[in-house]
Amino acid sequence: MQFVIVGTGGQGILFASKALGHIAMEKGRSVVGSEVHGMAQRGGSVVSHFKVGEYLSPLVKVGEADVLLAFDQNEAVRNLHYLRDGGTLVVNLYDPKAFQNDRLQSSLDRRKIEVHPIEGYSILKEHMGGRFLFLNVLILGAMCGAGVGGVSVDEMNQAISDLAPPRFVEENLKVLKLGHEAAR
Amino acid sequence: MSKRSILLGNEAIARGIVEAGCEIATAYPGTPSSEILPAVAAYSDQLGTKTAVEWGANEKVAYEMAVSASFGGKRTCCIMKQVGLNVAADPFMSTAHFDLKGGFLLVVSDDPGPHSSQTEQDSRYFAMFAKVPCFDPSTAEEAKEMVFDAYDLSERHGIVTMLRPTGKVDHARQDVPLRDEVLPPKKDEFKKDPKRWVCLPAGVRVNHPRLNDKNDVIRNEFEKDYEKYNYIVPAKGTARLGIIAGGTTFAFLSDMIRTSGRDDIEILKIGTPVPLPVKLCEEFIARHEKVLVLEQTYPVIETQLNDRNKIMGRWNGFVPRAGELLPELIEEIIAKCLGDEVETSIDEDVLSAMEEMQITPRPPMLCPGCPHRASFFAIRKALPKAITPSDIGCYTLGIMQKGIDSAIDMGAAVTAASGFYLASKVDGEERPVVATIGDSTFFHSGLTGLASAVYNRHAFVLAILDNRITAMTGGQSSPNVGAKLRKGDQGVQIDLEQVCRGCGVSYIKTVEAYDVDENVDVVKDAWAYAWENKEPAVLIFKHPCITILKEPPTPRPVRMDPEVCIGCKYCITSFNCPGLVFDESSKKAYIDERYCVNCGVCMSVCPHGAIVLREEA
Ligand code: SF4
Ligand code: SF4
């Protein structure tokens, strides 16, 4: 299973691959991926790769990702080429109208890409007082809700409980549920 | 070796360093190497070793501490990024000649691509230059394993050894085996022996030939005894192409063969590129009609080959001479070698969608609420015509705010200011110069430049942007903060004002970086003083980096008054906070609450007073 996770620096992308890695390890699978550090983290575009299985290289080749987790709709479009035909896109929409672009939709259709959109910011505004730092867990919830990535919501629940700072576990689990429901 | 754990490549290297019994580890932070030293501290505590861990004020300092600590027989190491080795090049070249006693490991992380560096240089060339053996890992697991062999090699031959991971190894996250036991520490038994430890020219006549002999012996070892790093992966079918691969390119090739079932490629994997096991390579080349060399970033393996007639690689430009070898690029190069079709991944629909949706890559920016942005703004507003040299760190991103006219390397803000001053002095004209440098960078290599500028009477304003942290590399401490790597291990805090005073600066002022309005006058005043007295004036813009704040400061929530905003975009072009966005339909600016941290600084920015305090309901 090969994941590409995209967004902008500061959105908590690294936590997403940590959670995926934790789950895979619990199942005794090998994992390898790449993190983004330094300059690119300062609000700029960020791409992180993650592979579960017998791989050596931390990079996903263009056209081979099974799942694209996009924390930002523009970054989703910029990185669509990583997805294989028939792959799945889980995307946080900020401006859903713009995402309806004809050419974009026709490419998604042609390549049989399954799209699971959530409007993360409105959900977090409504339920979490606009604390957007929960976006990463929301996306992970949406991924489980969409039933992709080979990860069940129970496994994700466990991973979040193990990894999140203790005093934020409860809120994180609540967000996970919100994401799960939003994408189902 | 029982347990496996998911580690960052840098953590894997650190774990190897501790398990191998290293007792003194030093570094200066630099992406992609920065996480190694903190992880050494953590594993040392976990495994109960007493390993000393220290940030040196710069790489030269760190290198000299670590290598000297090995003279009595202990295992030590020094860690840095590729450009850091330029700073440490002096002691590196000298001690490469030494007949060392203890094991000394130099870890240098390279940044092909480059993702956060001012060069793409290949440290393996430095290894070649210094005639020092180099290990080039393909994966995090291999990097960890190489640490043990590097120490062993260093001790057996009394030579500096280099481990040269690239960013994709450093920042890989991978499951890696752990050992529970640590190799036993060695006693420090330094024996006075000036012939051995003093680098007199006379010594070179002995040292250099001895170093050459060591290289011959090590090359021979690499040919025969290091099969675990230098080996052949035979083709499943008939090989149409031979590839010599080192570093992360090998990892990708393995994945490619496994997933695509490709059966027509034979690979010679080289994990010890310097000194190159040439015979091994030549035997391999002899068996193939065509040979491709894939390595990051320079043609180091390639140029060590005696006969390059059959070779396709970076040296002859078959492989691009610069840039990172990403999987899709490697695949393209192989196809080109074999004359196969390359499938294109370009999707015209998506391209035009991107154009219609106006999607461009988001460049890195100073964080919302970053104190540097406020400092740059005040400086530009005070002296719009000033030349503004700057330096290496987060604040280099001030280029987005047009706050930076030059940046060369660590510390060059100060020396460039001297240079700009001299250029205008010769013409006899007043041209303000305001240099910006970070607190950590100032200690790294700004100090000597300042001493030189005071001594020579150079008129400029030096703005030290003191955010209490080395932020770009992940938040390490520095001498003006005083905190050390291990909690509870307290250093002496060095006061910036006093240091500058000690250097002979007489005009020194510390200001709150957020106070934009006041600071405009302060900058003007500082320049007037510098020009009149022909000496540098120092301003310390102090405000903690927002990434280290445990508790957010008192919020000053802002709101945009659309009635007042005239849509001039001044706030965006000259202040450039991610929280300020322009709405093309209404032709007005607005606050993007996804990014805004309510620092309130932008209230001082809008010349029309459109950004105002929001009355909290
Ligand atoms: S907020 Fe002020 S500076 Fe920004 S566009 Fe409006 S008027 Fe111009
Ligand atoms: S208050 Fe203004 S300067 Fe501060 S983060 Fe928000 S938009 Fe940026």
Side-chain angles (χ1 to χ4, degrees), chain A residues 52-64:
Chain A
V52 179
E54 295 301 312
Y55 297 102
L56 286 186
S57 160
L59 294 180
V60 173
K61 192 174 75 86
V62 164
E64 283 192 351

Side-chain angles (χ1 to χ4, degrees), chain B residues 368-369 556 558 575 577 579-580 591 595-602:
Chain B
R556 292 194 290 166
V558 294
F575 196 61
C577 177
L580 296 169
I591 309 272
Y595 299 105
C596 175
V597 296
N598 294 322
C599 73
V601 177
C602 57

Side-chain angles (χ1 to χ4, degrees), chain A residues 67-181:
Chain A
V67 179
L68 178 61
L69 295 182
F71 286 50
D72 176 288
Q73 65 185 60
N74 284 0
E75 296 302 323
V77 182
R78 285 189 45 222
N79 292 289
L80 262 184
H81 55 286
Y82 276 113
L83 267 182
R84 62 173 168 80
D85 289 354
T88 308
L89 167 66
V90 179
V91 56
N92 170 36
L93 296 186
Y94 176 61
D95 180 358
K97 257 211 337 264
F99 202 74
Q100 285 311 315
N101 179 290
D102 290 344
R103 306 283 296 257
L104 176 62
Q105 292 302 321
S106 90
S107 167
L108 292 170
D109 287 349
R110 178 164 38 79
R111 296 184 54 210
K112 306 216 166 16
I113 289 172
E114 190 184 316
V115 184
H116 295 270
I118 55 163
E119 289 178 43
Y121 295 114
S122 350
I123 296 174
L124 292 173
K125 223 167 150 177
E126 187 180 338
H127 298 280
M128 302 303 297
R131 284 149 78 202
F132 299 140
L133 65 154
F134 286 115
L135 188 62
N136 50 10
V137 175
L138 193 76
I139 302 258
L140 289 173
M143 187 188 83
C144 299
V148 293
V151 177
S152 76
V153 71
D154 292 336
E155 287 165 338
M156 191 56 82
N157 241 301
Q158 190 58 48
I160 304 282
S161 314
D162 292 347
L163 297 176
R167 60 196 177 110
F168 294 121
V169 166
E170 219 166 286
E171 282 173 309
N172 271 302
L173 292 181
K174 177 179 164 195
V175 175
L176 186 71
K177 207 159 155 234
L178 289 170
H180 184 251
E181 279 157 13

Side-chain angles (χ1 to χ4, degrees), chain A residues 21 25 31-33 35 37 39 42-45 51 54 56-57 61 101 103 106-107 110 121 125, chain B residues 6 35 168 171-175 255 258 328 331 347 349 352 356 359 361-362 364-365 394 471 593-594:
Chain A
M25 272 295 275
V31 299
V32 60
E35 287 194 359
H37 293 235
M39 213 170 236
R42 300 273 170 253
S45 301
K51 293 151 96 171
E54 295 301 312
L56 286 186
S57 160
K61 192 174 75 86
N101 179 290
R103 306 283 296 257
S106 90
S107 167
R110 178 164 38 79
Y121 295 114
K125 223 167 150 177
Chain B
I6 302 184
E35 299 78 15
K168 291 291 185 298
H171 291 160
R173 193 167 270 286
Q174 189 178 12
D175 59 303
D255 281 6
R258 201 167 313 162
E328 44 281 4
E331 208 176 50
D347 184 330
D349 275 336
S352 23
E356 286 162 26
I359 298 176
R362 214 180 138 88
M365 289 187 240
C394 275
E593 53 180 300
R594 293 178 300 161

Side-chain angles (χ1 to χ4, degrees), chain B residues 25-58:
Chain B
T26 64
Y28 183 80
T31 310
S33 73
S34 312
E35 299 78 15
I36 301 177
L37 192 66
V40 169
Y43 290 128
S44 160
D45 292 348
Q46 210 173 307
L47 294 169
T49 70
K50 282 185 289 189
T51 314
V53 286
E54 308 228 312
W55 295 118
N58 67 26

Side-chain angles (χ1 to χ4, degrees), chain B residues 560-561 564-572 574 580-582 587-590 602 605-611:
Chain B
M560 183 74 65
D561 190 338
V564 185
C565 174
I566 61 160
C568 66
K569 285 197 190 174
Y570 177 75
C571 58
I572 290 161
S574 60
L580 296 169
V581 210
F582 196 71
K587 300 275 176 239
K588 308 240 178 219
Y590 72 98
C602 57
V605 171
C606 173
H608 308 280
I611 310 176

